[in-house]
Every structure is written in C-alpha cells, then in structure tokens.
Amino acid sequence: MIYFNSIPRYSYDIINTYPHDASAFTQGILYESNLLYESTGGFYKSTLRKTNLKTSETLQLYKLEDKYFGEGITLYDNKIFQLTRESNIGFVYDKDSLKIINKFYYNTKGCGITHNHEYLIMSDGTDEIYFLNPINFKKMYSIKVHDGFRSVRRLNELQFIQGEIYANVWKSDKIARICPYSGEVIAWIDFKGLLKSKEYEGTGMLNGIAYDKVNNHIFVTGKLWPKIFEIKLI
C-alpha cells in the first residue's frame, strides 16, 4: 500500500485482549452490550453467531445454506444485515432470535457493510463504496476511495465511527479512515505486530472492526485469529 506522508498515521494501545474462536473465518464483527456478533465465511460453513465477548462462548448460531459464502454484517434498526460474497443476495435477521426475516439483492460482489443512520454502506472489494436505501436497498450513490491521486482498492470490512468510514484493506495490516463524502483517505491505522509472529501460523489477514460507542474503543481481529483486541488509537 502506498500513501502520502502528509496523511496522518495512527498506532494503537491495547486496552484488553479477549479469546476468539480460531476456527472462525471472520468476515465481519459488531459489538453491543458485551456481546459480539460475528459473520464467518466459507462454503459449507458460513455462519452468523452471537458470542460472549469476554469468554468467546457461542450463545446463538445460524448456519447459512452451503451454497452461500458469508461476508460483512451491520446492525441497523434492531436488525442484522449480512452480505454474501458472490451470490448477489443479503439476509436480514432479527437481532434477538437470529432468524431470517427478509432478503435483499445487489449486483456486485459483497464484502463489507455498515451504516450511517441514514444509508447502508457497502463495499465490494474494489475502490468503490455504495450507499443503499435501507428500506428498498436501492443504490443512492457511491464514492471512489483514494489516497491523494491513488485509488485504494480491496476494501473489505467496514465500520462507521464518529462520522468516518473505517475500512480493512484486504491483504494488508492497515485500516483506512475515509471521508464518507469525498472518498478521501484522511488517516491510516497501522496494525503491524498486533498479533505476535508465532501466533500468525495458520491464520489469515486482519479483518473485522467493531465499535464500542460508550467507551470510544475499537475491537479488531482477523481470519482464524485466536484473539480479539480492544484498542484505543494513538
């Protein structure tokens, strides 16, 4: 990833470390009231699950049909929205029961999803981010993400935090902080070294961003990671 020296770069302090199911191919996470909701991917094994953050105990689990590859999730209007990778279909769940109550369709690849209280915000693995009507799921508009004059591609998991879009950049240890109006990257967060080198064996890339609005902390993890980290930016 190439970025300009004028763009702020953030590091982090680790506030807490929690156990994470190391068999979970994490595609998206969200946090609410000490509960972690997680979408996992993989054909034949994609799930939506509700877990105890502190113990990683699975409290509820919904397994997707084998033909679907689960992707990002977001919580909007007491419902969980989950994307799938290449099936052009998303699912809407009741937050409490994890039962599917609706479906929606899109004509791109599905990667990450979040919201800004007005629109659902979706990535498809390119440099484009889409803003969708949360009622009928129609595309309202989109932005192209860029760092100066360079496109930032491979956008994955998304989280809307204090007026900015945070995005994992696939195959990197970085999260981009993006202006939702212009698409400009306004800061980078570098998570290199978050997981110790000996813990990386058998794991995948950094992927998963959740936000604790009460404490203004962020949770991050990765695919097949044994830990979830609660961090504060510095």
Side-chain angles (χ1 to χ4, degrees):
M1 176 58 60
I2 301 173
Y3 53 93
F4 293 95
N5 291 331
S6 60
I7 296 178
R9 310 181 195 186
Y10 285 81
S11 187
Y12 56 88
D13 278 335
I14 297 175
I15 306 301
N16 283 302
T17 303
Y18 304 101
H20 180 243
D21 180 359
S23 69
F25 195 74
T26 304
Q27 301 293 83
I29 57 175
L30 58 91
Y31 170 86
E32 186 186 62
S33 302
N34 292 317
L35 296 175
L36 192 80
Y37 296 82
E38 181 171 11
S39 172
T40 68
F43 293 112
Y44 304 99
K45 57 183 180 180
S46 291
T47 67
L48 174 65
R49 58 183 74 182
K50 181 190 300 184
T51 66
N52 181 310
L53 172 66
K54 294 183 179 180
T55 67
S56 81
E57 176 190 4
T58 299
L59 306 175
Q60 288 175 270
L61 183 144
Y62 178 85
K63 184 179 181 301
L64 277 69
E65 292 183 49
D66 290 347
K67 62 182 178 180
Y68 295 123
F69 194 115
E71 284 283 349
I73 54 173
T74 193
L75 177 62
Y76 178 86
D77 193 25
N78 215 40
K79 298 184 286 286
I80 295 175
F81 294 75
Q82 181 185 36
L83 302 176
T84 60
R85 178 176 290 183
E86 294 174 343
S87 303
N88 306 118
I89 186 172
F91 300 104
V92 184
Y93 300 81
D94 175 80
K95 183 194 74 172
D96 298 321
S97 66
L98 297 192
K99 290 183 179 179
I100 293 177
I101 56 176
N102 201 359
K103 299 177 182 179
F104 61 102
Y105 301 89
Y106 43 89
N107 58 9
T108 67
K109 183 179 177 181
C111 285
I113 187 168
T114 186
H115 70 87
N116 63 359
H117 303 291
E118 183 178 5
Y119 300 115
L120 297 176
I121 303 172
M122 173 181 163
S123 66
D124 65 356
T126 66
D127 61 346
E128 192 162 8
I129 290 179
Y130 306 87
F131 292 75
L132 311 177
N133 183 308
I135 305 301
N136 58 25
F137 310 108
K138 290 184 178 179
K139 174 185 169 181
M140 306 306 294
Y141 63 95
S142 66
I143 57 174
K144 293 276 193 174
V145 177
H146 54 282
D147 177 342
F149 296 105
R150 297 179 182 272
S151 295
V152 178
R153 300 180 177 86
R154 302 196 304 268
L155 300 174
N156 204 310
E157 161 78 326
L158 303 178
Q159 186 66 238
F160 194 79
I161 301 175
Q162 295 188 338
E164 301 174 9
I165 301 171
Y166 284 52
N168 279 119
V169 179
W170 178 233
K171 294 186 178 180
S172 84
D173 294 318
K174 296 180 178 65
I175 287 176
R177 294 171 57 177
I178 301 162
C179 173
Y181 305 106
S182 66
E184 180 73 36
V185 174
I186 55 182
W188 288 99
I189 312 169
D190 190 348
F191 286 99
K192 186 177 181 180
L194 180 61
L195 202 65
K196 295 178 181 178
S197 57
K198 64 180 180 181
E199 296 174 316
Y200 261 114
E201 186 176 352
T203 67
M205 298 302 302
L206 179 79
N207 197 60
I209 313 167
Y211 181 53
D212 177 359
K213 292 182 285 188
V214 175
N215 296 303
N216 193 29
H217 291 169
I218 298 170
F219 301 94
V220 294
T221 190
K223 299 177 185 297
L224 308 175
W225 281 25
K227 296 177 180 178
I228 292 175
F229 298 90
E230 182 178 1
I231 61 107
K232 184 177 181 179
L233 297 182
I234 57 174

